[in-house]
DNA sequence: GGTTGAGGTGTGAATGTG
DNA sequence: CACATTCACACCTCAACC
């Protein structure tokens, strides 16, 4: 079964989610008032441990608690305002220290090494009119990246990262990855995969034509990758990706 | 146009934990 | 012992200011 292996750095001080959770919404009533919230839900009762180059699934002793809802800063707005431009939740911070999140509406406490999924909720007044749960956006909070390629992708797309580091990462990827199609870009932006899963991202649960688009799609790593260090193990790992690319069953799993 | 400070990032060494 | 966490650090962009 295909599962996301996206990692999100979580610190005790709190760190932003990158890429930012950003949605475009169509189909709201322009003259009605809406508000939006995000909560990050535990996906399962599992805990993940990284050993011998891969994630291992263990049972978690941590209880699943009600997730904290973080409302969009714009509060209540007319539908036409929400649809005017992308809705960004860049003010959300995740922390691995419970006390840090208390009393701070934009801080969310997440337990490291567990799987979570962000869920967008749209309210008309106090009534929930839609929730968008995009499997695509599942991630595991970690205190340090385990997957070097993932770190490289985020570093290359994040302007806060040192320029020389971004350049070095890109050069290493070109030198060590034999075929051009396995550049950092293509590892995460496999075109057939994007085509096959785009419908999931354009949430079609709404027969009423209300549609939620997840904007940073191309920045959100979603590929059945195994940890592929850019250093010594890179060349050994590449054949595994090639096998998966030609594996029809994997395609079906992705679609499901 | 140049400078400065705020806010943000990943890195790597040290330390903690099971 | 291996993996997870913490923390100081260097460096980035951007906006405000002169």
């Amino acid at each position: 079964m295909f599962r996301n292996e996206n990692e999100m750095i979580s610190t005790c001080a709190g760190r932003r989610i990158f890429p930012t959770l950003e949605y475009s919404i169509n189909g709201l009533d322009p003259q009605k008032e809406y508000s939006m919230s995000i909560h990050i839900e535990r996906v399962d009762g599992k805990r993940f441990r990284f050993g011998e180059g891969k994630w291992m699934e263990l049972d978690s002793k941590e209880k699943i608690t009600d997730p904290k809802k973080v409302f969009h800063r714009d509060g209540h707005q007319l539908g036409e305002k929400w649809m005017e431009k992308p809705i960004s939740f860049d003010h959300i911070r995740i922390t691995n220290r419970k006390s840090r999140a208390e009393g701070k509406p934009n801080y969310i406490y997440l337990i490291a090494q567990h799987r979570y999924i962000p869920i967008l909720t749209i309210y008309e007044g106090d009534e929930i009119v839609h929730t968008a749960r995009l499997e695509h956006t599942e991630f595991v909070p970690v205190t340090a990246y385990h997957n070097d390629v993932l770190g490289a992708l985020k570093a290359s797309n994040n302007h806060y990262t040192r320029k020389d580091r971004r350049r070095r990462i890109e050069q290493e990827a070109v030198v060590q990855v034999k075929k051009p199609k396995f550049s950092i870009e293509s590892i995460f932006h496999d075109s057939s995969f994007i085509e096959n899963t785009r419908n999931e991202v354009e949430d079609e649960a709404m027969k009423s034509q209300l549609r939620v688009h997840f904007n940073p799609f191309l920045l959100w790593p979603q590929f059945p990758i195994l940890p592929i260090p850019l250093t010594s193990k890179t060349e050994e790992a590449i054949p595994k990706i090639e096998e998966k690319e030609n594996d029809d069953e994997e395609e079906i799993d992705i679609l499901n």
Side-chain angles (χ1 to χ4, degrees):
Chain A
M1 180 181 174
F2 168 73
R3 299 303 301 221
N4 188 9
E5 293 188 6
N6 194 4
E7 299 171 18
M8 203 66 71
I9 291 288
S10 163
T11 65
C12 59
R15 200 161 276 222
R16 292 199 322 168
I17 291 174
F18 183 85
T20 305
L21 295 169
E22 190 181 286
Y23 304 85
S24 293
I25 297 178
N26 299 319
L28 297 173
D29 184 334
Q31 297 309 315
K32 285 185 177 169
E33 279 205 340
Y34 299 91
S35 58
M36 312 276 163
S37 80
I38 288 274
H39 64 277
I40 302 180
E41 194 176 277
R42 268 273 290 284
V43 172
D44 49 33
K46 301 292 181 186
R47 175 176 171 268
F48 296 85
R49 180 180 167 82
F50 194 84
E52 298 165 7
K54 59 178 191 257
W55 284 105
M56 290 179 283
E57 208 175 271
L58 307 165
D59 286 331
S60 174
K61 292 173 186 167
E62 302 285 348
K63 261 176 61 180
I64 296 179
T65 53
D66 286 340
K68 178 175 176 176
K69 287 192 170 174
V70 178
F71 280 84
H72 194 275
R73 283 175 290 199
D74 290 347
H76 294 267
Q77 282 195 135
L78 291 175
E80 61 182 10
K81 282 284 177 192
W82 288 117
M83 293 187 288
E84 199 172 83
K85 57 186 179 186
I87 301 164
S88 173
F89 286 86
D90 59 353
H91 63 304
I92 293 179
R93 289 168 171 276
I94 57 175
T95 173
N96 56 16
R97 192 162 293 183
K98 203 170 189 175
S99 59
R100 184 74 64 163
E102 285 165 3
K104 293 181 180 167
N106 61 323
Y107 278 65
I108 297 177
Y109 166 64
L110 301 180
I111 307 164
Q113 320 296 113
H114 291 65
R115 186 149 45 206
Y116 288 88
I117 182 168
I119 297 173
L120 173 73
T121 308
I122 304 172
Y123 306 83
E124 185 186 323
D126 293 333
E127 189 187 341
I128 294 173
V129 293
H130 184 51
T131 56
R133 178 195 175 94
L134 305 173
E135 306 294 330
H136 175 73
T137 57
E138 279 183 15
F139 66 87
V140 177
V142 294
T143 54
Y145 288 129
H146 298 99
N147 187 329
D148 287 356
V149 175
L150 186 62
L153 172 81
K154 295 200 181 192
S156 68
N157 284 288
N158 193 318
H159 64 244
Y160 290 112
T161 309
R162 280 158 39 185
K163 235 179 197 167
D164 59 343
R165 182 179 138 67
R166 284 207 293 271
R167 204 180 306 122
R168 182 169 57 80
I169 286 164
E170 282 157 15
Q171 283 171 356
E172 281 180 2
V174 170
V175 169
Q176 298 195 22
V177 173
K178 286 177 181 172
K179 296 186 180 179
K181 67 176 180 175
F182 292 121
S183 66
I184 289 175
E185 290 285 310
S186 67
I187 284 170
F188 290 93
H189 302 168
D190 175 73
S191 60
S192 62
F193 174 75
I194 289 170
E195 201 54 43
N196 289 338
T197 55
R198 189 171 289 283
N199 287 340
E200 285 183 352
V201 174
E202 293 179 0
D203 179 4
E204 291 191 276
M206 306 303 291
K207 306 279 189 234
S208 62
Q209 297 181 343
L210 174 57
R211 282 154 65 97
V212 176
H213 302 256
F214 184 65
N215 286 343
F217 185 90
L218 293 179
L219 282 179
W220 200 275
Q222 177 63 230
F223 193 83
I225 46 171
L226 298 170
I228 312 163
L230 275 177
T231 53
S232 57
K233 294 179 190 168
T234 306
E235 291 192 355
E236 300 160 30
I238 288 168
K240 292 179 188 171
I241 296 177
E242 287 177 327
E243 282 167 20
K244 280 192 181 296
E245 268 206 334
N246 299 324
D247 186 343
D248 289 339
E249 284 183 19
E250 188 67 30
E251 291 261 324
I252 292 164
D253 283 347
I254 289 167
L255 289 170
N256 292 336

